[in-house]
Amino acid sequence: MLQKEDKKPWEKGGNRRQHPSEDGVGEDDQKKSRLQGAAEQGGAGEKETKQRSGEWKGLDALSVGYFRRVGDRLGQAFEDDEERGMFVENVLAEVKGKAKVVAMDKTGSVTLQQLMPLASLDQVGAVLAELWTGKEEESAAYKAMSCDRCAGHVVESALRQMCRWTDSPEEVEAGALESQVLLLSAAVRQDPVEFIKHLYGSHAVRTLLHVLAGCVPPPRIDTRPGAKGKPGPPLLMDFEAPVSFWYEFKSLTEELMTNVNVSVADTVASVVFQIMLTVAHRKRPKLCRKLLAGIAEYLGTRSAAPGTSPLLVFLKDQASSRLLEVVFKLSSKALLRQLYRDHLRGHLVDLALHKIANFPVQRLVAASANLKVFSKVFDELNEGLEPILATGHMGVIVQLADSCAESGQKQGELMQHLLSAFHCEEPATRQACCLPLFLSLLTHEVYYASETAEGDLKKEVPLSSICYHGSRLVQALARFQDRSLLMGSLRALAPADLATLSSDPAGSHVMQALITLSSDKGRGKILRRMEGQFVQIACSRTGSRLLEAAWNSASVSQREGIAAELAPSETRLRSDQFARHVWSNFALSHFVSRRPRWKEIQTGESKKRKLFNDIIA
C-alpha cells in the first residue's frame, strides 16, 4: 500500500568570469600596431617572473591582467578575418615558450580555451606540442598536462579542434594537430589506468575517444562550479576523422579493455568506458558489439556466492551499475536475451526494489521494448508492481508504461494491475477517480481519507498532490490504444480541477498529452469541459503553453470557441505577462474586429496542418 509519506521522494525527480571590455576597434591603418601592443603588454611582467629549473613558477599579476584583457577582447567581434588572425598570432607569440605555465593558470587556461577555436590547426598543434615538451619523461609530460585541473581543459579544447580538419583550406595543415592527437593516444595506451582513474585526466581521455571516433559534443559554455546545463546526454556532431584515427581508436579501445576490471570498480573510470561504448556504437557498430560482449563476459564470469550470478552483485554497485545501464541500452537483441536468461531471470523484482539496481532495470525495460524478451520482463515485474510502488521506485513503473506504449504489448494488463495497486479496481465506480490517484501516486484510501459504507466516494475533493512521476506515468498511459478509463476520469473532474491541472507544472503536460492525442471528437469533449476556465489558464505560465498546444491541434470550430471566451477579457489578457502572448498568437484582435477574415485564415492553417500530418504519417 502506498503511504502519504512515500510520496515525498517521488516529487524530487524531477561559466566564466566576465570583465568590462577595455579594447575598441580603431581605424584600419592603426590596426596592426594596436594589436601588437596589446600582445606585447604582458611581456614585461612575465620576464620578471622568477624561474626555477628552467620552468615558469606561475603568472605574475601583470600577466594575469594581460590574459584577462585578451579574454575580454576575444568575447567581442572582430572586423574581419585579418584582424582576428593578427590578434591570435600575436597572443600565441606571447604564449610561445611558456605555454605550460599559461595553461596551468586559471585565467590563462580560460583564455587559451577561447583562443583554440580561432587559431589555425597548425597553431593548435604547436600549442599542444609545447605542452608535451619538458624535462620530464615523455609519458609523464602528457599526464602532467592532461591531469592538471586547468591545463586539462586546454588539452580538451585543442583536441576538439580536430573536427575542423576537413574544412578547406585547413586540411592541408592539420598534420601537426593530427600527430599530437596520436601521440597523446599512444601515451594513454602506455599507462591507461593513470589517466582513466584521474578526475581531470579522464576528461581528456573522454574527449580523445570522441575525436578518434569522429564525433564531438558541443563545447561547455559555462565552466563555473555548480553551473547547470541542459538535462540529458549532449548532442554529438559528426565529422570525417583521418584514417589514422580509425586504427588508433581500435588500438586504444583494445588497451582500455585490458583494464576492464578498473572500470567496474572506479566511478571515474566507469564514465570513460561508458563514453567508449557510446561513441563506438555511433561510429563503429561492429567494434561496439565486440566491446559489449567482452564487458558482459567479464562481469558474468567473476566469482560470486554459490548459485548467485556475479552480475547481480555488479548491478547493485554504484560504479558498475552505470556501466551496465549503457551495456543494456546498446546491446543487440541476442546479447540482451542472453543476459536476461543467464543472469537476470527471476531476480528483476528484487533488483527493482534495490536503491541502485532499479536504474539498470529501467534501462533493461527500455531496451527490450520492441523485442520478444519484453513479455517475459513485463510478466516478472508486473507481479511485483505494488511492492515497487510502495518502495517509491517510480522510474521502473514509468518506464514499464513507456515500453508498453511503444511496443503496443501488455497495455491492458498493466492498466488493470495499476488499478489494483491503487485500490480503485473494485467497485467499478472507483475507476472514475483513477486519474487523481495516478497523478498523486496515492492509494484511494489515502487520497480520499475515508469512504462510505457502500464503498463509493464520500465526496468530491479538490485535485491535489500532483507529482512529477505521477505526471510521467499518466503521459505514458495516454499513449495506450485504449484511453477510455483516463478520459472518463478526466470528464469526472470539476472544471476548477481542470484549471488547476492545466496550470500545474507537472499536470499541464498530462493535459497536453490527453488533448493532443485525442481524436477531434474526444478533444472537443475535453475543451467543452474546460469552458469558463480559459482566461485563468491563459494567465498562467504553464497554462498558456498548454493552451497554445491545444490551439495548434484544435479544429477551426474548437478554436472559435476558445477565442469567443477569451476575447471579452482583452484588457486582462493584454496586460498579463503570459496571456499577452496568447492574445497575439491567436490573433484575437482580428477575431474581434474582422471575424470572417480571421476564420478564413484559421481554415487555411487547419488545411495545411492536416496535409502536413498526412504526409508525415
Side-chain angles (χ1 to χ4, degrees):
M1 180 187 296
L2 301 178
Q3 301 298 325
K4 188 87 171 180
E5 57 270 17
D6 291 337
K7 170 174 69 71
K8 294 179 181 178
W10 305 341
E11 295 177 337
K12 295 180 181 178
N15 284 320
R16 263 188 193 82
R17 293 180 298 174
Q18 294 184 353
H19 306 278
S21 173
E22 298 177 2
D23 294 328
V25 179
E27 299 296 328
D28 291 342
D29 56 347
Q30 298 176 349
K31 186 185 302 180
K32 185 174 181 179
S33 61
R34 175 169 47 77
L35 292 174
Q36 287 178 339
E40 293 168 357
Q41 187 172 348
E46 292 165 356
K47 291 179 181 178
E48 296 174 359
T49 304
K50 294 182 180 180
Q51 298 182 359
R52 178 176 296 175
S53 302
E55 295 291 340
W56 292 78
K57 288 179 60 180
L59 293 180
D60 60 17
L62 288 177
S63 298
V64 170
Y66 163 71
F67 283 107
R68 185 172 296 158
R69 288 190 294 276
V70 170
D72 291 338
R73 183 64 187 89
L74 290 173
Q76 303 171 19
F78 291 92
E79 282 189 356
D80 50 40
D81 292 343
E82 181 186 359
E83 180 184 21
R84 183 184 64 185
M86 283 193 297
F87 186 84
V88 171
E89 183 178 355
N90 289 327
V91 174
L92 289 179
E94 284 297 314
V95 173
K96 188 175 182 180
K98 39 191 174 289
K100 284 188 177 183
V101 70
V102 174
M104 296 173 74
D105 178 81
K106 185 176 182 180
T107 302
S109 171
V110 171
T111 302
L112 282 179
Q113 292 174 59
Q114 293 176 289
L115 202 66
M116 291 296 100
L118 304 179
S120 68
L121 298 188
D122 214 16
Q123 292 171 326
V124 175
V127 172
L128 275 182
E130 186 175 340
L131 290 180
W132 310 144
T133 58
K135 293 189 175 182
E136 308 98 333
E137 295 181 6
E138 185 173 329
S139 59
Y142 291 104
K143 282 187 287 187
M145 291 295 102
S146 301
C147 298
D148 183 80
R149 62 181 304 173
C150 293
H153 291 295
V154 178
V155 172
E156 287 185 68
S157 181
L159 293 176
R160 288 178 47 82
Q161 305 315 310
M162 201 62 214
C163 67
R164 295 156 38 198
W165 87 284
T166 54
D167 297 342
S168 179
E170 291 194 300
E171 184 174 355
V172 296
E173 61 178 34
L177 181 56
E178 179 184 349
S179 300
Q180 297 305 318
V181 174
L182 294 174
L183 287 173
L184 176 60
S185 182
V188 173
R189 285 193 283 110
Q190 289 181 13
D191 194 0
V193 176
E194 289 294 324
F195 281 89
I196 65 175
K197 291 184 65 175
H198 194 279
L199 180 61
Y200 303 112
S202 64
H203 283 273
V205 178
R206 288 153 62 175
T207 304
L208 178 64
L209 287 167
H210 278 112
V211 171
L212 290 177
C215 56
V216 292
R220 286 175 291 180
I221 299 174
D222 198 344
T223 58
R224 293 173 297 174
K228 295 182 179 179
K230 293 184 179 181
L235 298 176
L236 298 178
M237 180 185 71
D238 294 317
F239 68 95
E240 185 180 353
V243 176
S244 59
F245 286 9
W246 180 272
Y247 298 103
E248 184 60 31
F249 181 77
K250 184 174 183 296
S251 300
L252 180 57
T253 54
E254 289 175 349
E255 188 60 40
L256 290 175
M257 284 296 294
T258 62
N259 297 277
V260 65
N261 60 311
V262 178
S263 72
V264 300
D266 186 86
T267 305
V268 175
S270 174
V271 180
V272 175
F273 271 67
Q274 294 169 45
I275 296 295
M276 177 185 70
L277 293 175
T278 302
V279 297
H281 178 74
R282 184 182 182 91
K283 306 293 289 190
R284 306 280 293 276
K286 187 175 180 179
L287 176 61
C288 181
R289 289 194 291 270
K290 181 180 178 181
L291 297 174
L292 288 169
I295 293 175
E297 180 182 1
Y298 172 83
L299 295 177
T301 56
R302 298 301 92 192
S303 59
T308 303
S309 168
L311 201 66
L312 301 179
V313 179
F314 288 120
L315 283 167
K316 298 176 181 179
D317 177 74
Q318 186 71 50
S320 55
S321 66
R322 294 291 184 89
L323 180 59
L324 278 166
E325 285 187 50
V326 178
V327 171
F328 289 156
K329 179 181 178 181
L330 305 180
S331 289
S332 64
K333 59 182 180 181
L335 179 57
L336 206 63
R337 183 173 59 249
Q338 175 191 341
L339 290 172
Y340 173 75
R341 182 186 64 242
D342 297 344
H343 304 283
L344 305 176
R345 184 165 50 189
H347 301 283
L348 289 184
V349 174
D350 291 336
L351 293 172
L353 296 175
H354 192 271
K355 63 180 181 180
I356 294 176
N358 77 91
F359 294 103
V361 169
Q362 295 176 41
R363 300 291 81 75
L364 173 67
V365 173
S368 63
N370 295 312
L371 305 179
K372 291 183 179 180
V373 74
F374 174 71
S375 60
K376 297 179 181 179
V377 172
F378 174 88
D379 291 339
E380 188 172 335
L381 288 172
N382 205 24
E383 294 300 320
L385 195 65
E386 191 162 358
I388 297 172
L389 284 166
T391 307
H393 294 165
M394 282 304 302
V396 177
I397 308 301
V398 171
Q399 186 56 65
L400 205 58
D402 276 329
S403 295
C404 286
E406 181 180 347
S407 64
Q409 306 178 52
K410 306 289 186 177
Q411 294 179 358
E413 291 183 44
L414 179 61
M415 180 62 76
Q416 290 303 314
H417 275 78
L418 286 174
L419 293 175
S420 176
F422 284 89
H423 303 171
C424 60
E425 184 179 18
E426 296 293 341
T429 52
R430 284 192 175 187
Q431 296 181 9
C433 65
C434 66
L435 183 59
L437 303 184
F438 293 163
L439 288 172
S440 58
L441 298 181
L442 299 174
T443 60
H444 183 275
E445 295 81 5
V446 175
Y447 185 84
Y448 290 99
S450 61
E451 57 183 9
T452 63
E454 293 79 15
D456 295 330
L457 300 183
K458 182 178 182 181
K459 61 179 181 179
E460 187 177 85
V461 299
L463 188 65
S464 60
S465 306
I466 303 171
C467 65
Y468 168 77
H469 279 110
S471 172
R472 287 282 313 279
L473 174 62
V474 177
Q475 289 177 62
L477 297 177
R479 293 160 49 206
F480 282 14
Q481 295 174 358
D482 183 5
R483 296 187 291 272
S484 57
L485 284 175
L486 291 180
M487 300 303 293
S489 183
L490 182 69
R491 288 191 291 270
L493 295 176
D497 285 338
L498 295 181
T500 300
L501 189 60
S502 301
S503 302
D504 184 84
S508 63
H509 292 287
V510 171
M511 287 296 295
Q512 180 174 333
L514 292 173
I515 291 174
T516 57
L517 293 173
S518 296
S519 63
D520 285 344
K521 183 178 179 180
R523 187 182 306 111
K525 290 181 179 180
I526 299 175
L527 293 176
R528 282 193 296 274
R529 188 68 176 168
M530 296 170 66
E531 288 177 357
Q533 308 295 325
F534 288 135
V535 174
Q536 178 184 343
I537 294 172
C539 293
S540 163
R541 177 191 295 271
T542 55
S544 62
R545 294 174 183 170
L546 164 67
L547 205 55
E548 292 194 29
W551 180 273
N552 291 333
S553 62
S555 64
V556 176
S557 60
Q558 292 165 354
R559 289 185 178 187
E560 194 169 8
I562 297 173
E565 181 177 329
L566 294 175
S569 303
E570 177 178 0
T571 303
R572 180 181 177 186
L573 296 179
R574 301 188 74 165
S575 61
D576 185 85
Q577 60 176 328
F578 306 118
R580 64 183 182 182
H581 300 292
V582 172
W583 181 273
S584 174
N585 293 338
F586 293 4
L588 295 181
S589 296
H590 287 203
F591 176 82
V592 173
S593 59
R594 293 181 291 176
R595 184 174 297 192
R597 176 57 180 163
W598 178 91
K599 190 171 182 178
E600 181 182 342
I601 294 174
Q602 299 300 322
T603 303
E605 290 182 356
S606 179
K607 290 181 179 179
K608 288 181 181 178
R609 186 177 69 253
K610 186 178 185 303
L611 178 62
F612 180 75
N613 290 338
D614 291 341
I615 292 174
I616 64 175

